[in-house]
Amino acid sequence: SDSGSDSEDSSLSDSELQEAFAKGALKPGLNVVLEERPKRRNDTDGLKQCLAEFRQQLTWVERLDVTLGPVADPVSQSDSTSDAIDPENDFQREMSFYRQAQAAVLDALPRLRKLQVPTRRPDDYFAEMAKSDQQMQKIRQKLKSKQEAMERSEKAKQLRAMRKYGKKVQVEILQRRQKEKKNMLNAVKKYQKGLSDKLDFLDEDQTSSQGNKKGNASQRTKKGPNAKRRYKNQKFGFGGKKKGSKWNTKESFNDVSSFQSKVAHNKGPGKGGRGGKGGKKALNKRPGKRARQKMKNRAR
């Protein structure tokens, strides 16, 4: 069985396992063939070449090497040595790197200025961008599409909110109408049964059904009637009692201040006689069309 063969393989020595592996008796996957370890090489020629390069007597401006310790800590007023830095403390380790770089800058910058080496980038410096214009154009299009999508989403949210508010108002109006209808039906039933003798619910129904129309009419009448309406009111009156309005009274019968004998006997100019129109027609002469138009314009 497989379990038996595994136990036998585990009890074999290294030499026996090597012989079994050479014969192909071992199952694949259980053993890994180790590659031969690379031999260590002592490249003395390469090391000597690197040492010769280090020993080249070049000027400092060609090398630009600065080897200094960390700058003094302004808080403790002492040089921060490597013994005082805990390598496991990330903050202290990074701060030591920063202060060492700061010491190198403070030492190298005056030397560069003395050698007249520019250390600041000129204002008209032109550097090629790391990304091409095509890549930047794709990024702009992507940002623009995201912005448009956000605007569409915002508009959709506003429309949904408006629809929700409109539905809410519509539901409130329907509920109010149903309540008014229910109250009116209850009042009608009470009146039919004789429990109430008031008919106020009819007036309330009319006012509720014609509320908008009356409101608009009240808004229109606040400004007063137009010129045409005022002219007609002046001409025909505002209504009221008309029957018997021309009857004489005791005061009007005794008042003769407006009596004109010439008019009463048709003796005025252009009235009666030859060529005159005379009579009632002359007294009730209607003005011409142009005169009526002028009267309308004057009334406006």
Side-chain angles (χ1 to χ4, degrees):
S1 64
D2 295 339
S3 60
S5 61
D6 293 341
S7 61
E8 291 177 359
D9 293 341
S10 61
S11 62
L12 294 177
S13 62
D14 294 340
S15 60
E16 292 175 347
L17 286 174
Q18 291 178 0
E19 292 177 0
F21 178 72
K23 294 178 181 179
L26 296 178
K27 295 180 180 180
L30 295 178
N31 299 276
V32 179
V33 180
L34 297 177
E35 297 180 357
E36 185 180 359
R37 293 182 180 179
K39 295 180 180 180
R40 296 181 179 179
R41 297 175 58 187
N42 187 11
D43 190 4
T44 56
D45 296 334
L47 293 174
K48 289 180 180 180
Q49 184 179 358
C50 291
L51 182 59
E53 292 177 358
F54 292 156
R55 288 178 177 177
Q56 290 181 0
Q57 299 296 328
L58 300 175
T59 59
W60 179 80
V61 74
E62 297 291 339
R63 294 180 286 110
L64 295 178
D65 55 342
V66 179
T67 304
L68 292 172
V71 74
D73 190 357
V75 178
S76 61
Q77 297 295 333
S78 63
D79 296 341
S80 53
T81 60
S82 59
D83 296 337
I85 298 173
D86 184 9
E88 300 297 333
N89 191 337
D90 296 339
F91 179 75
Q92 290 184 3
R93 187 175 63 252
E94 295 298 329
M95 183 57 67
S96 66
F97 295 156
Y98 168 75
R99 295 207 173 276
Q100 188 174 5
Q102 187 178 11
V105 170
L106 293 175
D107 181 71
L109 194 60
R111 298 169 67 178
L112 290 173
R113 289 177 179 173
K114 186 176 180 180
L115 296 172
Q116 296 182 356
V117 177
T119 57
R120 293 181 63 86
R121 180 178 294 177
D123 296 335
D124 57 348
Y125 180 79
F126 176 78
E128 186 178 357
M129 295 180 64
K131 294 185 179 180
S132 62
D133 294 340
Q134 295 179 355
Q135 183 69 15
M136 296 302 296
Q137 193 67 23
K138 289 181 181 179
I139 293 173
R140 290 191 191 96
Q141 292 178 358
K142 187 70 175 178
L143 293 174
K144 187 177 180 181
S145 62
K146 284 185 178 180
Q147 186 177 3
E148 291 177 354
M150 290 177 64
E151 290 177 356
R152 287 196 297 268
S153 176
E154 192 66 25
K155 288 182 180 178
K157 287 181 181 179
Q158 292 179 359
L159 287 175
R160 285 195 295 269
M162 292 174 64
R163 289 174 184 170
K164 189 175 180 180
Y165 179 73
K167 288 182 179 178
K168 182 180 178 182
V169 172
Q170 187 177 5
V171 169
E172 290 178 356
I173 291 173
L174 292 175
Q175 291 178 354
R176 181 165 54 89
R177 288 179 180 174
Q178 291 177 358
K179 185 177 180 180
E180 291 175 354
K181 185 177 179 181
K182 185 177 180 180
N183 294 337
M184 188 188 69
L185 291 176
N186 292 335
V188 170
K189 288 181 181 178
K190 289 181 180 179
Y191 181 78
Q192 289 177 350
K193 292 179 180 180
L195 300 176
S196 175
D197 56 349
K198 297 180 180 179
L199 296 175
D200 298 338
F201 57 89
L202 297 177
D203 297 335
E204 292 177 359
D205 183 35
Q206 291 178 0
T207 53
S208 61
S209 61
Q210 299 179 357
N212 294 331
K213 294 182 180 180
K214 286 187 177 181
N216 295 334
S218 63
Q219 291 177 0
R220 288 195 298 269
T221 54
K222 280 181 181 178
K223 297 181 181 179
N226 54 13
K228 187 176 180 181
R229 182 72 264 169
R230 289 198 300 269
Y231 173 73
K232 288 187 177 181
N233 291 340
Q234 184 181 2
K235 183 177 180 181
F236 300 106
F238 293 89
K241 184 179 179 182
K242 294 182 175 59
K243 185 176 181 181
S245 60
K246 296 185 179 180
W247 291 356
N248 284 334
T249 59
K250 185 177 181 180
E251 289 79 7
S252 64
F253 178 77
N254 294 328
D255 186 12
V256 291
S257 58
S258 60
F259 177 75
Q260 298 179 7
S261 59
K262 294 182 179 181
V263 175
H265 298 291
N266 293 330
K267 292 182 180 181
K271 298 179 182 179
R274 296 180 182 179
K277 294 185 179 180
K280 280 187 176 181
K281 291 183 180 180
L283 293 174
N284 297 330
K285 182 179 179 182
R286 185 186 181 193
K289 183 176 181 181
R290 183 166 295 179
R292 294 199 305 271
Q293 190 68 28
K294 286 182 179 180
M295 292 171 61
K296 287 184 180 180
N297 296 335
R298 197 178 298 115
R300 290 177 185 174

